[in-house]
Amino acid sequence: MLGEMGVTVWWPSESNAAVVEAPAVVKAVAAPAVAKPPAVAVAPPPVAKPAAPLGERPAGIAAMDWPQLQTAVSGCTACALARTRTQTVFGVGPVANGEAPPTVDWLVVGEAPGEQEDRQGEPFVGPAGKLLDNMLKAIGLSRRGEAPLKGAYIANVIKCRPPGNRNPAPEEIATCSPYLERQIALLQPKVIIAVGRFAMQALLSDTVPDVATQPLGRLRGRVHRWREVPVVVTYHPAYLLRTPADKAKAWADLCLALATAGAPAAN
Ligand code: URA
């Protein structure tokens, strides 16, 4: 095509640098005097940003203290959610003297941060969180334990937001679970309330056969165990917002948890 336009073509020969001239027929045609087009800044084609490399989950999670665990979670790059999160969401609860939370009697375990939680770095801050706060208040609890309410710690199975609020994948749950397990071991709750099926599956996978295929409705209403710690399963508040008729069952679950942990005394 360049030859057709009267432009001499340079072509690498086998000896690596020989000049190949345009064919004679082309040379005979005088190159038309074409005004040189003005230089145009051509943007280079967009190049896909290389995905940040993923790392290993830190070793020794089961022996970490609370600050070490927080640091491990905030720097975790063990799965692809690290590439899309704004920040990790570790959990929220009553804090003693601005330090690590003391042991708590109550632990609520949800699924994973949503969009607002990812932005604010705290679990259950959206509309479902408001309902959760109201449910906790009804049994004398709150996430920060302001008197006369008693503190309940709130954490999720997954510490990073799944993009588009999709369900967490089984391998993401498996990768993230050791963080929750260490949180439970350090907090030493008297009862865990598992809200929603992903919390239920993560906490009961060792004790309930085929838990992944069990409907939540079949496992609620009784006390299960996660390594000796009583677990009460109930509906996720986001589900209750869509299905208010089931709020009565959730209330019954809270009453069961209350009977299991003993009535909360003020902090
Ligand atoms: N849903 C959850 O399960 N956890 C949150 O933190 C927010 C919404």
Side-chain angles (χ1 to χ4, degrees), residues 89 110-114 117 122-125 128 156 195 236:
V89 179
E111 175 183 322
E117 290 78 17
E122 181 168 326
F124 283 103
V125 292
N156 284 312
V195 299
H236 194 285

Side-chain angles (χ1 to χ4, degrees), residues 1 11 17 59 76 78 81 93 133 148 164 170-171 176 178 184 204 233 246:
M1 195 174 77
W11 201 262
C76 184
L81 298 184
D133 284 338
E171 38 315 337
C176 218
I184 300 172
L204 304 186
V233 168
D246 277 343

Side-chain angles (χ1 to χ4, degrees), residues 174-235:
T175 302
C176 218
S177 287
Y179 295 129
L180 176 64
E181 289 170 10
R182 189 60 188 154
Q183 284 178 305
I184 300 172
L186 290 167
L187 291 168
Q188 297 175 30
K190 283 190 184 159
V191 67
I192 300 173
I193 304 178
V195 299
R197 69 189 170 101
F198 290 99
M200 172 186 95
Q201 289 169 11
L203 292 167
L204 304 186
S205 60
D206 289 345
T207 51
V208 176
D210 302 325
V211 68
T213 58
Q214 299 270 353
L216 186 144
R218 200 176 292 157
L219 296 184
R220 56 163 293 278
R222 59 193 141 117
V223 179
H224 303 268
R225 300 265 157 189
W226 181 87
R227 301 183 195 167
E228 305 304 314
V229 185
V231 177
V232 171
V233 168
T234 194
Y235 294 109

Side-chain angles (χ1 to χ4, degrees), residues 44-120:
V47 180
K49 228 170 105 189
L54 298 177
E56 297 281 304
R57 196 178 53 207
I61 293 172
M64 287 180 181
D65 64 19
W66 196 261
Q68 287 169 334
L69 191 61
Q70 283 177 310
T71 304
V73 167
S74 66
C76 184
T77 57
C79 82
L81 298 184
R83 292 184 173 135
T84 49
R85 72 182 179 219
T86 304
Q87 58 190 310
T88 56
V89 179
F90 186 77
V92 65
V95 174
N97 307 321
E99 291 170 5
T103 57
V104 290
D105 288 352
W106 294 79
L107 172 63
V108 177
V109 177
E111 175 183 322
E115 186 183 4
Q116 296 188 47
E117 290 78 17
D118 173 70
R119 242 187 277 129
Q120 296 184 39

